[in-house]
């Protein structure tokens, strides 16, 4: 039986351990592969572990569950997200569902609801074949290097558009997992990090050399949400776009 890897994202350690114990107690085909206390650390863990399921709280420091869901929606659309939160977080949870969250569970977790949720998600994963087989591309005449080169060129041509990992995978007929693993092995960077690198470098040039406003710049490099763009820019450079522009103008 396939085992699906999962992580838990929760800033309260006792609650986190309780969630893990309840999931492990279900005796279902799941494999725990890590925990994180906020969305930013979760993204680093996801990049390392490539989980199939993410169980996440909504209200967390640094990056909350809503922003994490949004990141995963664009960067890792194949990952199933389960929101675990309180009644007062329902509106946030509803928004997270818009960004692809598969289910919403209330604290404290009820075992029957948790079991139903996990069974539903594992059935979806079974049906869509999300467990990556290393030979899944054997039917193709392309080598791994050719696949990685194709993905690189595809990204360079399309990074200014609102592309996702699914778009790249669909263009080749492979799963997003397979594309991501091949690209990372051959190029030493994930497709999503490569997209982000190109977008931020493009934004830096526009900030330094044009008078375009922040919204126009974000749209020019592939971000439809100006505030999301600003957060990504700060995470990559340590400065908000306006700060970066002001510093360049002073030099």
């Amino acid at each position: 039986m396939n085992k699906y890897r999962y992580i838990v994202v929760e800033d309260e350690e006792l609650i986190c351990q309780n969630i893990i114990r309840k999931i492990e107690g279900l005796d279902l085909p799941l494999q725990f592969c890590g925990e994180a206390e906020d969305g930013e650390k979760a993204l680093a863990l996801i990049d390392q572990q490539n989980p199939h399921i993410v169980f996440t709280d909504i209200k967390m420091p640094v990056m909350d569950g809503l922003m994490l869901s949004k990141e995963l929606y664009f960067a890792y659309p194949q990952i199933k997200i389960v929101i675990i939160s309180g009644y007062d977080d329902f509106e946030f949870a509803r928004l997270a569902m818009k960004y692809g969250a598969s289910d919403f569970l209330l604290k404290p977790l009820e075992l029957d609801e948790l079991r139903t949720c996990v069974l539903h998600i594992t059935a979806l994963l079974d049906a869509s074949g999300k467990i990556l087989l290393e030979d899944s591309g054997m039917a193709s005449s392309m080598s791994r290097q050719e696949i990685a080169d194709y993905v690189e060129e595809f990204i360079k041509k399309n990074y200014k558009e609102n592309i996702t990992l699914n778009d790249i995978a669909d263009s080749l007929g492979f799963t997003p997992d397979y594309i991501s693993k091949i690209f990372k092995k051959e190029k030493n960077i994930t497709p999503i990090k490569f997209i982000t690198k190109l977008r931020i470098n493009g934004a830096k040039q526009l900030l330094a050399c044009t008078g375009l406003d922040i919204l126009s710049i974000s749209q020019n490099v592939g971000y439809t949400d100006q505030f999301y763009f600003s957060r990504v820019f700060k995470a990559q450079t340590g400065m908000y776009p306006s700060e970066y522009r002001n510093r360049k103008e002073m030099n």
Side-chain angles (χ1 to χ4, degrees), residues 173-187:
F174 295 122
T175 66
D177 281 341
Y178 186 75
I179 292 298
S180 186
K181 281 197 171 183
I182 292 297
F183 192 82
K184 185 175 182 181
K185 184 173 182 179
E186 298 295 331
K187 303 294 182 179

Side-chain angles (χ1 to χ4, degrees), residues 3 55 61 65-66 100-102 117 142 145 147 188 190 204 212 242:
K3 277 211 168 187
F55 295 88
L66 181 59
S102 300
C117 166
M142 298 174 71
Q145 182 64 55
I147 292 172
N188 296 313
T190 65
K204 286 179 178 179
L212 290 173
S242 56

Side-chain angles (χ1 to χ4, degrees), residues 105-138:
L105 299 176
L106 289 172
K107 295 176 180 177
L109 288 180
E110 295 289 340
L111 283 177
D112 287 343
E113 291 183 359
L114 178 61
R115 180 180 294 276
T116 299
C117 166
V118 173
L119 285 172
H120 172 68
I121 288 176
T122 55
L124 289 175
L125 290 169
D126 285 340
S128 58
K130 293 299 183 183
I131 288 291
L132 175 65
L133 299 177
E134 289 301 328
D135 63 350
S136 62
M138 291 300 289

Side-chain angles (χ1 to χ4, degrees), residues 23-63:
I23 295 172
E24 291 294 294
L26 295 175
D27 195 28
L28 291 174
L30 299 175
Q31 179 182 338
F32 175 67
C33 62
E35 62 184 87
E37 61 188 25
D38 60 63
E40 199 168 273
K41 291 179 180 177
L43 288 174
L45 180 62
I46 288 164
D47 188 48
Q48 294 171 0
Q49 298 295 333
N50 194 28
H52 300 90
I53 311 170
V54 172
F55 295 88
T56 182
D57 189 18
I58 282 285
K59 292 183 177 178
M60 297 179 293
V62 186
M63 178 188 288

Side-chain angles (χ1 to χ4, degrees), residues 140-148 182:
S140 171
S141 60
M142 298 174 71
S143 68
R144 292 189 174 195
Q145 182 64 55
E146 288 172 329
I147 292 172
I182 292 297

Side-chain angles (χ1 to χ4, degrees), residues 235-247:
Q236 296 295 315
T237 67
M239 293 176 282
Y240 286 110
S242 56
E243 294 174 316
Y244 181 87
R245 168 173 276 167
N246 290 338
R247 183 168 297 187

Side-chain angles (χ1 to χ4, degrees), residues 7-13 15-16 19 34-43 45-46 54-72 81-86 88-89 92-93 96 107 231:
I7 69 168
V8 175
V9 190
E10 166 64 61
D11 61 320
E12 296 287 346
E13 179 62 21
I15 295 176
C16 183
I19 292 172
E35 62 184 87
E37 61 188 25
D38 60 63
E40 199 168 273
K41 291 179 180 177
L43 288 174
L45 180 62
I46 288 164
V54 172
F55 295 88
T56 182
D57 189 18
I58 282 285
K59 292 183 177 178
M60 297 179 293
V62 186
M63 178 188 288
D64 62 24
L66 181 59
M67 283 302 300
L68 174 61
S69 298
K70 192 171 184 178
E71 288 268 5
L72 296 180
I81 307 165
V82 179
I83 303 297
I84 301 176
S85 205
D88 58 341
D89 299 334
F92 289 104
K107 295 176 180 177
R231 290 189 65 166

